[in-house]
Amino acid sequence: ERPPLVGGCAGFELLLSSRQRALLESLSVTAQESAALRQHGFFVDVLSLSSGDVALASGAPEASAEGPDASSWEVAVRRVYEQHTRQLQSQIRTADGKAMELHLKVQQNMDSLREEESAKQGLRDEAQNMRSKLESVQEDMATTRKNYDNQLAMLTEHICTLSAKLSDKDSNLAGFQAQKVLCGRCGMWNTMGKLLATENWGTCQTCKEKVLSRS
């Protein structure tokens, strides 16, 4: 025995509300077929149902309907829900496809991010190596400059010492050349500087007598 149909105003409103939810998305009918549905609030866009199914699904069964009429109405309503189910499955497949596409894009972005991070780490390591080399070169330059400054200071001190010694020698030489030697022949005094001159070495400047002799 078939279970009793939903009857009464409240049951009819519940049934319409349920069918309304089933027909909300992506349904389409002709203007003639949609008139009855739209009277009950079914604002549909795509509906692959026959005109008879549309007519049955858009109306309410009689409370006392039994036999073929009630069965046809149930079949029509079931087709509406099946159509809605297929549409939901299609939407789910579309959503799954988009989710897979997004997942692949996320994986690609993550791979790219890992590659970029690896490249950045390589650049960091290279920069650290260059920094270490630069510090080493700077230390070598500082050591070389320090050694150079020390050697320059030593050379400067040595040059100053040599200059002082040369000054002493020049002073002693000047004093030696200023000394005078008496000529035994003419009695004139001759300075050592003139006596040691190359052109008149050891001779008196007045009488040309030999005053100095080479030993």
Side-chain angles (χ1 to χ4, degrees):
E1 183 179 359
R2 184 185 295 106
L5 298 175
V6 178
C9 182
F12 177 65
E13 292 296 333
L14 178 62
L15 181 61
L16 287 181
S17 176
S18 176
R19 278 183 291 164
Q20 203 168 20
R21 287 193 301 271
L23 295 171
L24 277 176
E25 297 180 1
S26 302
L27 303 177
S28 176
V29 295
T30 63
Q32 294 80 8
E33 294 173 342
S34 65
L37 290 174
R38 295 180 184 277
Q39 287 179 357
H40 294 286
F42 297 110
F43 296 99
V44 297
D45 294 326
V46 177
L47 180 60
S48 300
L49 299 173
S50 65
S51 58
D53 292 336
V54 173
L56 287 174
S58 63
E62 296 180 2
S64 60
E66 294 183 358
D69 293 338
S71 177
S72 299
W73 180 83
E74 291 177 357
V75 171
V77 172
R78 184 171 62 251
R79 287 178 180 174
V80 171
Y81 287 114
E82 288 177 353
Q83 176 70 8
H84 182 62
T85 301
R86 285 194 296 271
Q87 291 171 356
L88 290 178
Q89 290 174 347
S90 177
Q91 292 175 4
I92 290 172
R93 286 193 296 271
T94 302
D96 288 342
K98 290 182 179 180
M100 181 59 67
E101 183 179 356
L102 290 175
H103 177 71
L104 293 177
K105 289 183 179 180
V106 169
Q107 288 296 116
Q108 293 175 356
N109 291 334
M110 290 181 64
D111 293 340
S112 299
L113 182 61
R114 281 192 291 267
E115 291 177 359
E116 291 178 358
E117 187 63 29
S118 177
K120 287 171 62 178
Q121 186 62 39
L123 291 176
R124 292 192 191 99
D125 295 339
E126 184 178 357
Q128 183 63 34
N129 293 333
M130 294 298 294
R131 192 178 296 110
S132 300
K133 291 181 180 180
L134 179 60
E135 291 176 356
S136 178
V137 170
Q138 288 177 343
E139 290 178 358
D140 293 341
M141 289 179 61
T143 302
T144 303
R145 181 177 295 276
K146 183 178 180 180
N147 294 335
Y148 174 78
D149 291 340
N150 292 335
Q151 293 177 1
L152 183 61
M154 292 175 62
L155 288 174
T156 302
E157 183 179 359
H158 182 64
I159 290 173
C160 291
T161 302
L162 290 178
S163 298
K165 289 181 179 180
L166 287 175
S167 298
D168 292 340
K169 288 183 178 180
D170 290 340
S171 177
N172 294 333
L173 181 60
F176 176 75
Q177 289 178 348
Q179 293 180 1
K180 295 180 179 182
V181 177
L182 180 65
C183 178
R185 181 180 179 182
C186 65
M188 293 296 295
W189 291 95
N190 296 276
T191 61
M192 289 294 296
K194 291 182 179 181
L195 290 174
L196 296 176
T198 304
E199 62 274 10
N200 296 314
W201 196 93
T203 60
C204 178
Q205 297 295 317
T206 303
C207 65
K208 307 300 181 182
E209 179 70 16
K210 199 73 172 178
V211 176
L212 297 178
S213 63
R214 299 180 184 273
S215 58

